[in-house]
Amino acid sequence: MKKIILFLFLGAGLLSNSQQMTLKKGVVIDSIGVKDSISESFSLYIPTSFEMDKNWPILFVFDMEGRGRQAIRMFIGAAEKQGYILAASNNVNDTLTTSQNILITGRMFNDVIKILPVQKNRIYSAGFDSGARFASVLPIFVKGISGVISSGAVYPNMDILDTNNLFHFIGIVGKEDYAYPEMLAGSSIMGRLKFPNQLLVFNGGHEWPNTQYLGKALEIFTLSAMAKGQSEKDETYINDTYAQNLKDINLLIGSNRLIQADNLLDEVISVYRVLKDSDSLKKIKRELKKDKLFKTMTRNENNTLLKESFIKEDYVYYLEEDLATYNYNNLGWWIYQMDELKKYDNSKIEAEREMGKRLLGYVNALIEDNIDIVNSGTQVDQEVLSLLWMLKTITDPTDHSYYLKIISNSAKMEDYGTSLFYLEELLKKGYMDKAELYSLENTALLRITPEFNEIVAKYLKDARYETIEE
């Protein structure tokens, strides 16, 4: 079978009035220029099963740093198996306004549906984190998007949801992801608003899920299209996917991942409700509800979710207080909180271990959000920024960049004591890049001091400048 598709553009083309563009199947095609745009482009993936004589579902994937190829690669396995076209803008970015990003998306959207046989009622959007939040609001602003895959992010603003403009929302989240509690609550709210939605839960943190879960999301869209009559009903596909889901549920139960098994049961029953008799799944769910271990796990999860909400409130309150009062004296409290989180790693209760991971992710995201807010202001409050950097060395001590920022900024303010303290703390963490240390901005005078070089020599064997004793 040929893996090359030729499209002949008559009239205004991508580069000239008439040209031929070659699109390969089964590979990511980078930097396809957007018509009527000087600098905008998008990446594209066409499955190997693609043929021009039928319409195809399409998934627009969003990375808010404009990394179209990278965004698409996450879905290739799933798109190939499920038969979806993938497209991703190389120009959407967090630094732009939402309206600017929507205009960029609209231009890409229009180009793609002009050059490819896209099934108009099967256009979807997807993303992770900030990309997921942007993908989620698109159905409100871009006509024709009928579903969203949101990984690691709850719907950004429930108040803007319009029950007259329903779309299918599929959330995917790890049990150790700080977004997990919000996504549980969000799914419940969307259900009450009659938005078709599912929440797929995997073992992991704030990260892209593997191909299995991305494929399951596309599978749900396909089955939903069959149920609505938007796609021809394929009994073989329905039976095969049902059997695989049943197998996945039994594997979760067999490995005592009972909360996830119950979650998947709910989602699968809702998907197949009008496609197939799901009595076998309902029977498994009834038996699971009677299971003593499941009851214990459910109780533990509910207790930890409640406890987690209180701890998060403390983090928000004390961070706001510390920043408002420049309270460096409270750094010890944050150190204590991180020590408390470490204790959960050794808990015998799985829900507590997961909660500890979520809280650590939450506090880091909270501090990073505040760093972004401070940096985005017209006048940067350097003292608040320095305090936030110090907090990051506590909540994420393996990220060396914050130590370097403090050393540089403190040296600029001639606070050499602080610079030397964080220099030694940095080297204790295993930092080895001597060249970067000796070229660090604002540290020219600090680097020639005996104290600086003694600390470097202590951890890195030798220093650039010799220490001369009088």
Side-chain angles (χ1 to χ4, degrees):
M1 181 184 294
K2 290 183 178 180
K3 292 197 174 183
I4 303 290
I5 306 162
L6 299 180
F7 294 97
L8 183 63
F9 290 88
L10 301 176
L14 292 177
L15 298 174
S16 63
N17 287 337
S18 177
Q19 81 164 40
Q20 195 176 62
M21 182 171 72
T22 303
L23 298 180
K24 293 183 179 180
K25 295 192 287 185
V27 297
V28 179
I29 308 161
D30 271 335
S31 304
I32 300 174
V34 174
K35 188 177 178 181
D36 298 327
S37 169
I38 297 173
S39 59
E40 292 173 18
S41 68
F42 61 92
S43 297
L44 188 70
Y45 180 83
I46 299 171
T48 54
S49 58
F50 179 88
E51 298 295 342
M52 281 293 291
D53 58 359
K54 62 175 267 192
N55 292 331
W56 294 76
I58 185 168
L59 181 73
F60 289 93
V61 191
F62 293 93
D63 173 272
M64 300 314 288
E65 293 182 21
R67 299 171 296 192
R69 168 181 277 270
Q70 183 172 325
I72 277 180
R73 289 184 69 85
M74 302 306 302
F75 278 91
I76 285 178
E80 185 66 27
K81 183 176 180 180
Q82 299 294 330
Y84 280 68
I85 299 168
L86 302 174
S89 171
N90 294 318
N91 301 97
V92 292
N93 201 289
D94 269 335
T95 60
L96 302 175
T97 65
T98 300
S99 58
Q100 287 174 317
N101 282 322
I102 287 171
L103 289 172
I104 290 168
T105 299
R107 288 189 285 268
M108 170 189 64
F109 184 96
N110 289 334
D111 265 21
V112 173
I113 62 175
K114 284 177 183 176
I115 67 174
L116 291 171
V118 171
Q119 191 172 343
K120 297 302 194 312
N121 53 11
R122 296 190 61 196
I123 299 172
Y124 310 99
S125 60
F128 171 73
D129 200 331
S130 59
R133 287 189 287 273
F134 179 68
S136 296
V137 300
L138 278 181
I140 293 173
F141 299 104
V142 179
K143 186 178 180 181
I145 296 179
S146 57
V148 173
I149 299 172
S150 176
S151 182
V154 70
Y155 193 84
N157 186 352
M158 295 292 178
D159 292 335
I160 66 174
L161 288 173
D162 182 1
T163 53
N164 294 316
N165 181 27
L166 297 178
F167 58 89
H168 197 152
F169 185 87
I170 300 177
I172 310 179
V173 67
K175 288 211 74 181
E176 296 174 358
D177 190 336
Y178 59 84
Y180 176 66
E182 289 184 337
M183 293 190 75
L184 282 176
S187 179
S188 178
I189 293 171
M190 295 194 88
R192 290 200 297 272
L193 293 174
K194 306 302 181 185
F195 277 78
N197 77 96
Q198 282 80 34
L199 181 62
L200 305 178
V201 180
F202 66 93
N203 272 4
H206 193 64
E207 60 195 348
W208 274 103
N210 63 30
T211 298
Q212 174 191 353
Y213 287 89
L214 298 176
K216 197 171 288 294
L218 294 183
E219 173 189 298
I220 290 171
F221 282 152
T222 299
L223 291 166
S224 176
M226 290 181 186
K228 294 175 183 176
Q230 297 170 343
S231 179
E232 184 179 350
K233 189 176 289 188
D234 184 336
E235 293 295 341
T236 300
Y237 180 88
I238 293 169
N239 292 330
D240 288 349
T241 55
Y242 183 89
Q244 183 58 53
N245 277 299
L246 185 59
K247 181 180 178 181
D248 292 341
I249 289 165
N250 285 324
L251 284 172
L252 289 171
I253 293 173
S255 57
N256 283 332
R257 291 153 65 188
L258 305 185
I259 299 287
Q260 285 174 253
D262 184 60
N263 166 265
L264 186 55
L265 274 165
D266 286 339
E267 308 311 344
V268 172
I269 289 171
S270 71
V271 169
Y272 288 91
R273 184 175 61 250
V274 298
L275 291 170
K276 183 178 177 64
D277 187 326
S278 56
D279 284 348
S280 57
L281 294 178
K282 292 175 182 176
K283 181 181 178 182
I284 294 173
K285 186 170 178 65
R286 287 194 298 270
E287 292 173 351
L288 189 59
K289 291 291 185 184
K290 299 175 186 176
D291 189 282
K292 289 183 179 179
L293 178 59
F294 175 73
K295 290 179 181 179
T296 300
M297 295 176 78
T298 302
R299 184 170 59 252
N300 288 341
E301 169 143 309
N302 291 337
N303 289 340
T304 54
L305 288 171
L306 180 62
K307 183 177 182 179
E308 184 174 348
S309 68
F310 292 139
I311 295 174
K312 285 160 71 173
E313 287 178 6
D314 281 348
Y315 289 164
V316 172
Y317 173 79
Y318 283 107
L319 183 60
E320 288 178 352
E321 286 288 302
D322 290 350
L323 298 181
T325 59
Y326 305 102
N327 189 6
Y328 291 84
N329 292 327
N330 203 34
L331 290 174
W333 183 85
W334 290 99
I335 293 172
Y336 172 77
Q337 294 302 314
M338 295 305 101
D339 289 339
E340 289 297 294
L341 290 188
K342 289 177 184 175
K343 293 178 182 178
Y344 291 122
D345 291 342
N346 300 317
S347 174
K348 294 180 180 179
I349 300 173
E350 183 181 26
E352 289 189 348
R353 296 196 299 272
E354 293 166 347
M355 180 187 71
K357 296 287 195 309
R358 291 197 297 268
L359 284 170
L360 183 59
Y362 177 81
V363 73
N364 274 295
L366 180 64
I367 295 170
E368 288 161 15
D369 284 347
N370 276 272
I371 290 173
D372 290 341
I373 291 169
V374 173
N375 280 325
S376 65
T378 52
Q379 286 188 325
V380 175
D381 189 330
Q382 198 60 54
E383 195 169 354
V384 166
L385 196 57
S386 181
L387 178 54
L388 287 164
W389 291 340
M390 290 178 184
L391 286 169
K392 279 295 292 183
T393 67
I394 294 169
T395 61
D396 190 7
T398 60
D399 189 335
H400 299 151
S401 66
Y402 294 99
Y403 296 88
L404 295 170
K405 291 177 190 291
I406 297 167
I407 295 167
S408 173
N409 185 62
S410 298
K412 181 181 179 180
M413 307 301 292
E414 297 185 0
D415 181 4
Y416 294 155
T418 299
S419 290
L420 293 171
F421 174 80
Y422 280 93
L423 170 66
E424 185 154 18
E425 290 300 305
L426 171 64
L427 294 174
K428 284 179 181 177
K429 297 294 185 295
Y431 182 81
M432 300 289 289
D433 194 341
K434 191 189 301 181
E436 185 173 26
L437 279 180
Y438 279 96
S439 61
L440 195 59
E441 188 179 13
N442 303 318
T443 63
L445 294 177
L446 176 67
R447 294 196 302 265
I448 62 174
T449 63
E451 294 85 355
F452 183 94
N453 288 281
E454 284 173 1
I455 292 172
V456 173
K458 177 180 177 182
Y459 292 93
L460 301 182
K461 305 305 180 186
D462 58 80
R464 179 169 295 182
Y465 305 109
E466 291 184 6
T467 302
I468 302 174
E469 295 184 4
E470 295 185 0

